[in-house]
Each structure stands twice: as structure tokens, then as C-alpha cells.
Amino acid sequence: MFKINENYLKLPGSYLFSDIAKKVKAFTDANPDNKIIRLGIGDVTLPLAPAVIEALHKATDEMAVKENFKGYAPDLGYEFLRSAIALHDFKARGVDIAIDEIFISDGAKSDSGNIGDIFDVNNKIAVCDPVYPVYVDTNAMSGRTGEYQPDLGKWSNVIYMPCTIENNFAPQLPEETPDIIYLCFPNNPTGSTINKAELQKWVDYANKVGAVIIYDAAYEAYISEADVPHSIYECDGAKTCAIELRSFSKNAGFTGTRLGFTVIPKELKCGEVMVNSLWARRQGTKFNGAPYIIQVAGTAVYSEEGKKQTKEQIAYYMNNAKVIKDGLLDAGYSVSGGVNAPYIWLKTPDKMTSWEFFDYLLNEANVVGTPGSGFGPSGEGYFRLTAFGTYENTLEAIERIKKLGSVTT
Amino acid sequence: MFKINENYLKLPGSYLFSDIAKKVKAFTDANPDNKIIRLGIGDVTLPLAPAVIEALHKATDEMAVKENFKGYAPDLGYEFLRSAIALHDFKARGVDIAIDEIFISDGAKSDSGNIGDIFDVNNKIAVCDPVYPVYVDTNAMSGRTGEYQPDLGKWSNVIYMPCTIENNFAPQLPEETPDIIYLCFPNNPTGSTINKAELQKWVDYANKVGAVIIYDAAYEAYISEADVPHSIYECDGAKTCAIELRSFSKNAGFTGTRLGFTVIPKELKCGEVMVNSLWARRQGTKFNGAPYIIQVAGTAVYSEEGKKQTKEQIAYYMNNAKVIKDGLLDAGYSVSGGVNAPYIWLKTPDKMTSWEFFDYLLNEANVVGTPGSGFGPSGEGYFRLTAFGTYENTLEAIERIKKLGSVTT
């Protein structure tokens, strides 16, 4: 008789964003005339940049002609894309990454979920709290997290590193030594960052204790401050301890177009074994590459026009972030994020729980956000708004929130 | 100190198609003027059908406009595509598959590799021998296959079901009871099929012993004979024991465009747990869907024009298959496949090993094929040619092989 992976049954039943969707549906069913403004899910709204559209059309035309048709892609991805990445994302920041250290994928969610395949089940992970749920859930699926403790909202075998207003949302080095450390900067959900000196401490720590850092840099394009690193490889010694995940979802609006990549330097080893080779084997065996036309489109993001156009998109979203942050500060909220990230993280007023504030905003302002507690126990009492809406909707949402009156936190 | 997944180190070092590539490169370096004809890798060569191209352009234009732009796709895939699949691939063959039993993916390779995630490590797998290497390799990566025995070319904890000329390349029910059975019909690499009554025996067996069948139907579009099932769900009771994998790679030339799907009926359960829910959780957590424009392109395959055009492509390849098969038979080879599949499987002449015949064909006819032994120990003494080349090259390759003289096998 076949046996299922019982670890799946340990996962808490409901998923944050489906809970939100249900509540919103119940509200709109009861109040069909109210205009809901959604600043919840981190999904982009601007259309693809003209340079990307042009590349998609061009690549599509190639696929229509026998001489230019492309079948299976190279295992790691097309060299034209990997070269553009090596040049623009790394060389331009003083970092040497070889093209065979770059693995093209269909996005950072797949990579952050699949990367666990190449590690033993007996590795203890450390995560920030709050955190993007995929890191913990995928480790739970692999049996790496122990048991779920519903009363604590935590897994028994995970090192949680609280990120709260008290430590300026920057995790401290953990007391217990982890084997795998997930870091995400600019952070989802808090929108916080750490500077290069602070990230260097993590790199030094990981090298000292023999941990690997899985560094999720999906939001690096939103960094506006000079001393915030875009890549962990800007830190000395990161190549011997860090894997970096990147995405086109947020820097070029590819959430529905799907493209990302993972960097694994050849210096990263466990004994004599290069982690790079393990991932090459994993991807070569279980994945057949991102579509040719999407890889061409991704390359267009690095063209002069593409860079200019996607920068404008990011400026548009970051203007929304400023509108949200300034408006909330005006209204007396305690707010962080929104400077180097498209997320605004606010403290709920009047000691409301995250879900109480969710209901309050939905009912009173018809605005949808994301309860901080959905990202982990230390997110309780916080709330996330995203800058990915339209400018008009963002403005209106903030006006509505301000009309609810000033708060004290 | 972090620990790697040691199962990866058990995998045999070299990969079939990279060994072939190295040998071909050495030959072309030494003989730069010889024209090599490649009938090795199962990659398509015809351009995408006009209906597919039109759909790609149209969907690209949608992504350029704010009102039509698409961000994150629904977890299971767009309903318009899942509805088209349910109607044309299943309903049209008398099979009721609900749209929430269909999971859109980036291809059958990903799905056949990732499906193992939802099963316990303690499941014994059974595979045909020879077999598409991904089934075994991905189970080896998960620690399900025991130890590799280089002298036998087998893993210690896998049930191998030989498919040779003696049993007409149809596997027999295994003596030892497996938990998970991989079946692929039309078969890669042998090109063989089994009829509905024979497949029904497998379904009945799986239901009896409580095994799950992972049924790879990636080549179903090549079936020409009436009594060969296109879907395992044409058999009674398959919904309680079978998962079916499908691909757009071979039926519509999407090897470089990437689209596939997996069907998991809700009736398939382990105790009270629906396997469908586990896969939904897996995909919802580790995958963000195939690109919108690719899902639109996949839907165009089911339009009247799309069906007509892709049928013509398949007819083109199957004409190549006939050229290969007839030519080899003329020359005295023992040949199977090529009737319901784009693969021709031949017995090597003069008791040559698979690799000896590979070298012989490369050196004497400058034709590249795939050694049967690369697919498993029972593939030794066999050789695979694919029908995916151009007609002109296929014709020339066969002429060259015939010029080598008649053989006896």
C-alpha cells in the first residue's frame, strides 16, 4: 500500500491569503456597492515594460520559423540571459559571479521551495519572525521542522529570530546554532533592510559556524539608500556560505510572466562537495528551464530601454509607498518599511490584534491589507500594506484610513 | 555545520545525453567537414503552430495594457485552459475529469520529478526497464531506491520490470508488490504501447494491492491505433489508483515553450487523505504557475485551427517514423515502435553493445542516436532513433544507414 508524506498533514490547515480572500468575499457579498481597495497581496499592477513586450513579440516570431525555433533550453538557462545578469546585477556592483554559478528558473518561489531538496533532512533552520511563509512551510513538508505547536504558532524544531519594533526589525544572531539561515532583505513582510556592515556580521557568523545562508533578494530593486547591499556577495566571504535567490517578479513586474534565478558560487562547499553541482543535478533532473521567449524577455530588462522603463515602474510603486507611509504617519500610526521596499509595516492601533485591525479596515474603510500575525507570531499586532496598487487607489485608501481619525500607538 | 542530501552522491556520475554530446563533439572536432545528422535527443524541430503563435502575440499585447495585465495566476492554472483540457483531452474520450483535478505546470519533467514530494520515503517503486531516467533518478535523490550497483546498472531497492523483445516490450505484473508504479505509454524509449485490456490489468492490480500508478502519457498524441488508450482513465477504476502526467512538449512542440499538466482524481486516497489535496498544497507552496501567455498559447492548441495544425505536425513526425522503420526493416534490422510513438527502437546488429553501435553509426554514417543501455540494463543491445528530425535529414540518415549494408539480427 502506498504511503503519503505524512509531514504534509502537520501543516496548519488554512493559508493566510485564502483566509483573507474568504473574508473579503463575505464582505463584498454583503456590501456589493462598496468599492474595495486591495493593498494586501504583493502582486504588481503595472503592465510589462515596452522593451519587455517588444522582446516577447520578437522571440515569438522566432518560434514561428523553423530556422529560429528553439526546443529544449540549456540546463542552466540561456547564456545570453546569464551573461546579462552577471554583468548588470553583479559585475556592476563590483561582484564577480561566473555564468555557471547562475541558474535560471521560473521564479524565486520555486527556487526557495526546491532548494531544500539538496540538503539533508537533519539540518536545523533559522528564520526571521515574521517571515515569508514559503521558507517554513517547505521545510515542514520535508520533515525538517518538528511538530507544529498551534498555541505558539511555531514549529518545535525551528529557530525563530524575532524582528520587532524593539530591534528595529533586524534579526539578532541566534543563541542556538542553525545549519541553514533564511534571510530576506529588503524584507517581506516588514520592509526593513540591514546595511552592509550588519549583513557582513551574518556572513562572518555563517562562515564561523558552518551554516549556509539562503539569501532572498527578490526586492533588491527597491533599495534607495546607498549603504544597503543589493547582493549578499557584496560582503567579504559570502561566496563560501551563501546562496542568493533573485526574481524578475518585483523588479520588472513578472509575477504572471515567471522568471527568476539562483546564484550558487562554486566556493560554497560541504566537505569536498560543491553545492553548485548538487543544484545543477537537481535542476537538470527535475526541471526543463524557463520558456525561451520568457528568457528573451528577461534579457530585455537589462537593455538600456528596459532598465529605464523598469526603474520608472519601481519609482511609481515607491511613490505609492511614500503616500502610504506619510499618510499613516500623519494619522499617528507607527510605521516602518516603505523606503527600500514596497511594503509598509504598521503597528496596529489601540492594541488591536492583526486580524481585528484587518476587520476594522475592511469594514470601516473597505481597504484590504495583510494581518502581520499571518507571517509568524512576532507579526502579531502588526499589519502589512503594499505599494503595488494604482496611485489613485493608494491615495484613496489612505484618505479613507485618515478619515477614520488619528490613532495613538 | 550544514549537511547536504547525501543521496545525490549515490547517483551515477555521468548523464546519458552529456556523454553523447561529448562523443559527438570529439567526432566533429576531428571531422569538421562531415555533416552529422542527430536523431538522438527527443526534441522537436518544427516551429510552433500558427494558432499558437497568434495566441502568444495576443496574450503579449494584453500584458502591455494595464486593464488586461495579469499578475499571479490561480494556483492550479487558468480555468480557461483547465476547461479546454477537461473537454478535449478527457470528455471527448468519454472520461469525466473535473477542472480541480487538473494542475497546470511548466512540463511533465517537473511534475514527474516533483510528484515524489507528496509520498513517503518508504515506498517501493517499480519501473519499466528500459525507462526514462527521470523517474529513477528523482526517487534516488529522495532516498527511495537503496544503493546503486554499478555492476548491475541497477538500484538495490527498485523493482525493475524488463521490457524486451521477448515480452514484446510490455512489462509483466511484478512478483514483488510495489507501492508506486511508473508506466509510460506510448513508451519512451521503446515506442511500444499496450492496449486497453492490458492497461486495465494494471489498474486492477494497482487497486488490488493498494499501489498508485504514475502514468506518463506525454506521447499520447502519437497514438494511431484504435485500441490503444490515450488516458489511463479510459480504464475502469483508474481514478482510485492513478495519477496521469501530460505534456504540450510533443503534441504541440512546446519543448522550449514549457507547459504540461498533472491529473489527480479526488477519488485517489490514502486512508481518508485525498492525494489531490497534497499536490494542491505542494504546488501552491512551491510553484507560482506557468506564465499567463504560455497558458493562453496552450489553450490555442485546443482551438479548431490549433488542433488541425498540431495534427499536421504529428503526421509529419510520424511520416519520419515510417521512413526510419521501413528503411531499417529493409536493411534487415529488428525494429519496434514508430507506429504509436515518435521513437524507433532497434536491436543492434552483430551482437554489438548499444555503445558499440552508437560509435559505429557515428563513425560510419555520421548519424547520432541514443544507446539503449542508457535507459537501463534491459536496454543493452538496443538503440533509439527519434522521428523529430526534419524529413530531409531523416531520409538522408536512413539512406546512409542502408548504405552500410544489410544486417542480420
Side-chain angles (χ1 to χ4, degrees):
Chain A
M1 176 75 200
F2 78 90
K3 292 161 281 293
I4 57 165
N5 178 348
E6 299 270 343
N7 295 312
Y8 276 62
L9 307 181
K10 299 179 185 174
L11 291 164
S14 61
Y15 180 59
L16 176 62
F17 291 104
S18 61
D19 288 347
I20 292 174
K22 274 178 213 155
K23 284 206 176 227
V24 173
K25 188 176 183 305
F27 181 84
T28 49
D29 286 351
N31 305 278
D33 296 334
N34 294 37
K35 182 194 161 193
I36 299 276
I37 298 180
R38 292 163 199 271
L39 303 179
I41 283 188
D43 197 1
V44 297
T45 50
L46 290 176
L48 292 176
V52 172
I53 293 293
E54 193 187 327
L56 284 169
H57 280 306
K58 196 160 157 277
T60 296
D61 285 334
E62 287 183 63
M63 295 294 276
V65 182
K66 202 165 189 167
E67 289 66 33
N68 301 322
F69 175 77
K70 301 288 186 300
Y72 289 120
D75 267 3
L76 276 65
Y78 280 99
E79 199 172 313
F80 57 74
L81 174 55
R82 289 183 290 128
S83 298
I85 289 168
L87 181 64
H88 297 280
D89 282 329
F90 296 104
K91 191 82 182 167
R93 303 197 65 80
V95 177
D96 280 319
I97 295 291
I99 60 167
D100 58 355
E101 296 175 321
I102 297 167
F103 298 81
I104 306 301
S105 76
D106 64 316
K109 187 178 179 188
S110 300
D111 285 352
S112 62
N114 293 332
I115 196 78
D117 282 15
I118 61 172
F119 295 106
D120 193 85
V121 67
N122 292 311
N123 279 292
K124 188 142 193 176
I125 69 161
V127 293
C128 292
D129 171 24
V131 71
Y132 176 49
V134 168
Y135 311 146
V136 177
D137 287 358
T138 57
N139 277 288
M141 289 169 164
S142 310
R144 219 171 264 131
T145 57
E147 300 301 320
Y148 188 68
Q149 303 158 303
D151 48 326
L152 300 176
K154 292 184 178 184
W155 293 84
S156 62
N157 195 37
V158 171
I159 300 169
Y160 290 89
M161 305 181 291
C163 298
T164 60
I165 209 161
E166 287 74 25
N167 59 16
N168 203 24
F169 306 102
Q172 309 303 296
L173 296 177
E175 288 176 23
E176 187 186 350
T177 306
D179 302 303
I180 299 173
I181 302 165
Y182 287 83
L183 293 178
C184 173
F185 293 112
N187 190 259
N188 174 15
T190 69
S192 68
T193 48
I194 60 176
N195 65 29
K196 192 170 162 183
E198 288 169 322
L199 186 57
Q200 184 66 54
K201 283 182 202 162
W202 282 95
V203 169
D204 294 342
Y205 172 76
N207 277 321
K208 194 182 79 181
V209 301
V212 63
I213 296 173
I214 297 176
Y215 192 75
D216 185 344
Y219 297 93
E220 63 78 29
Y222 291 83
I223 294 170
S224 66
E225 294 179 324
D227 64 339
V228 177
H230 288 242
S231 164
I232 195 167
Y233 303 115
E234 294 177 41
C235 294
D236 292 334
K239 286 188 176 180
T240 55
C241 70
I243 292 171
E244 185 163 297
L245 311 179
R246 292 284 191 107
S247 169
F248 287 75
S249 286
K250 308 301 161 76
N251 67 353
F254 273 44
T255 54
T257 304
R258 312 307 313 144
L259 195 66
F261 61 93
T262 284
V263 179
I264 309 188
K266 278 170 272 187
E267 290 94 320
L268 178 59
K269 290 182 181 177
C270 178
E272 291 303 301
V273 181
M274 287 201 301
V275 176
N276 179 292
S277 311
L278 299 180
W279 187 242
R281 190 76 194 232
R282 193 271 168 210
Q283 292 298 82
T285 306
K286 295 195 187 184
F287 182 60
N288 246 331
Y292 170 71
I293 59 175
I294 307 293
Q295 295 197 47
V296 172
T299 308
V301 172
Y302 297 101
S303 67
E304 281 312 304
E305 281 304 299
K307 280 202 268 192
K308 190 170 155 282
Q309 293 160 1
T310 53
K311 249 184 206 161
E312 284 165 8
Q313 295 182 341
I314 288 162
Y316 175 92
Y317 293 133
M318 288 309 283
N319 184 50
N320 288 349
K322 191 172 178 339
V323 166
I324 298 172
K325 190 164 192 174
D326 291 350
L328 293 175
L329 285 171
D330 271 2
Y333 285 85
S334 168
V335 187
S336 59
V339 174
N340 297 302
Y343 294 122
I344 287 86
W345 189 245
L346 61 97
K347 187 111 192 64
T348 59
D350 302 326
K351 297 190 174 162
M352 278 191 242
T353 66
S354 298
W355 276 109
E356 282 168 357
F357 188 69
F358 176 90
D359 290 333
Y360 171 73
L361 264 201
L362 177 59
N363 291 317
E364 304 303 322
N366 304 162
V367 171
V368 179
T370 310
S373 56
F375 297 100
S378 295
E380 181 57 270
Y382 293 90
F383 199 77
R384 190 187 80 174
L385 292 174
T386 93
F388 288 126
T390 64
Y391 174 69
E392 296 72 20
N393 280 343
T394 303
L395 209 59
E396 189 180 336
I398 295 306
E399 287 307 314
R400 291 188 198 170
I401 293 174
K402 284 169 81 172
K403 270 195 194 141
L404 298 177
S406 287
V407 297
T408 48
T409 55
Chain B
M1 177 74 199
F2 77 91
K3 292 162 280 294
I4 57 165
N5 178 347
E6 299 270 343
N7 295 312
Y8 276 62
L9 307 183
K10 300 180 185 174
L11 291 164
S14 60
Y15 181 59
L16 175 62
F17 290 105
S18 62
D19 288 347
I20 293 174
K22 272 177 215 155
K23 283 204 175 231
V24 174
K25 187 175 183 309
F27 181 84
T28 49
D29 285 352
N31 305 278
D33 296 334
N34 294 37
K35 181 192 161 193
I36 299 277
I37 299 180
R38 293 163 199 272
L39 302 180
I41 283 189
D43 197 1
V44 296
T45 51
L46 289 177
L48 292 177
V52 171
I53 294 292
E54 192 188 328
L56 283 170
H57 281 306
K58 197 161 156 275
T60 296
D61 285 334
E62 288 184 63
M63 296 294 276
V65 182
K66 201 165 188 167
E67 290 66 34
N68 300 323
F69 175 77
K70 301 288 186 299
Y72 289 121
D75 267 3
L76 277 64
Y78 280 98
E79 200 172 312
F80 56 76
L81 175 55
R82 290 184 289 129
S83 298
I85 289 167
L87 180 64
H88 297 279
D89 281 328
F90 296 104
K91 191 81 182 167
R93 303 196 66 81
V95 176
D96 280 317
I97 295 291
I99 59 167
D100 57 355
E101 296 175 321
I102 297 168
F103 299 81
I104 306 301
S105 75
D106 64 315
K109 187 177 180 189
S110 300
D111 285 353
S112 62
N114 293 332
I115 196 78
D117 283 14
I118 61 172
F119 296 107
D120 193 86
V121 66
N122 292 310
N123 279 292
K124 189 142 191 175
I125 70 161
V127 293
C128 292
D129 170 24
V131 71
Y132 176 50
V134 170
Y135 311 147
V136 177
D137 287 358
T138 57
N139 277 287
M141 289 169 166
S142 312
R144 219 173 263 131
T145 57
E147 300 301 320
Y148 188 68
Q149 303 159 304
D151 49 326
L152 299 176
K154 292 183 177 183
W155 293 83
S156 62
N157 195 38
V158 170
I159 301 169
Y160 290 88
M161 306 182 291
C163 298
T164 60
I165 210 161
E166 287 74 26
N167 58 15
N168 203 22
F169 306 102
Q172 310 302 295
L173 296 177
E175 288 176 24
E176 187 186 351
T177 306
D179 303 303
I180 299 173
I181 302 164
Y182 288 83
L183 294 178
C184 172
F185 293 112
N187 189 259
N188 174 16
T190 70
S192 68
T193 48
I194 59 176
N195 65 26
K196 192 170 161 182
E198 288 169 323
L199 185 57
Q200 184 67 52
K201 283 182 204 163
W202 282 94
V203 169
D204 294 342
Y205 171 76
N207 276 321
K208 196 182 79 181
V209 302
V212 62
I213 296 173
I214 297 176
Y215 192 76
D216 186 344
Y219 298 93
E220 62 79 28
Y222 292 82
I223 294 170
S224 66
E225 293 179 325
D227 64 340
V228 176
H230 288 242
S231 165
I232 195 168
Y233 304 117
E234 293 177 41
C235 294
D236 292 333
K239 286 187 177 181
T240 54
C241 70
I243 292 171
E244 185 163 298
L245 310 180
R246 292 284 192 108
S247 170
F248 287 75
S249 286
K250 308 300 161 77
N251 66 354
F254 273 44
T255 52
T257 305
R258 311 307 314 143
L259 195 66
F261 62 93
T262 284
V263 179
I264 309 188
K266 278 170 274 188
E267 290 94 320
L268 177 58
K269 290 181 182 180
C270 178
E272 291 302 302
V273 181
M274 288 201 301
V275 175
N276 179 293
S277 310
L278 300 180
W279 188 242
R281 191 76 195 233
R282 195 271 169 210
Q283 293 297 81
T285 305
K286 295 195 189 183
F287 183 59
N288 247 332
Y292 170 72
I293 60 175
I294 306 294
Q295 294 196 46
V296 172
T299 308
V301 172
Y302 296 101
S303 67
E304 280 314 304
E305 281 304 298
K307 280 202 268 193
K308 189 169 156 282
Q309 292 160 2
T310 53
K311 249 184 207 161
E312 284 165 7
Q313 294 182 342
I314 288 162
Y316 176 92
Y317 293 133
M318 289 309 284
N319 183 50
N320 288 349
K322 192 172 176 342
V323 166
I324 298 171
K325 190 165 192 173
D326 290 352
L328 292 174
L329 286 171
D330 270 3
Y333 284 86
S334 167
V335 187
S336 59
V339 174
N340 297 301
Y343 294 123
I344 286 84
W345 189 244
L346 62 97
K347 187 112 193 63
T348 58
D350 302 326
K351 298 192 173 161
M352 278 191 242
T353 66
S354 297
W355 276 110
E356 282 167 358
F357 188 69
F358 174 91
D359 290 333
Y360 171 73
L361 265 202
L362 177 60
N363 291 317
E364 304 304 322
N366 305 163
V367 171
V368 180
T370 309
S373 55
F375 298 101
S378 295
E380 182 56 272
Y382 294 91
F383 199 78
R384 191 188 79 174
L385 291 174
T386 92
F388 288 127
T390 64
Y391 173 70
E392 294 73 19
N393 279 343
T394 304
L395 209 59
E396 188 180 336
I398 295 306
E399 287 309 313
R400 292 188 197 168
I401 293 173
K402 284 168 84 171
K403 270 195 195 140
L404 298 178
S406 287
V407 298
T408 49
T409 56

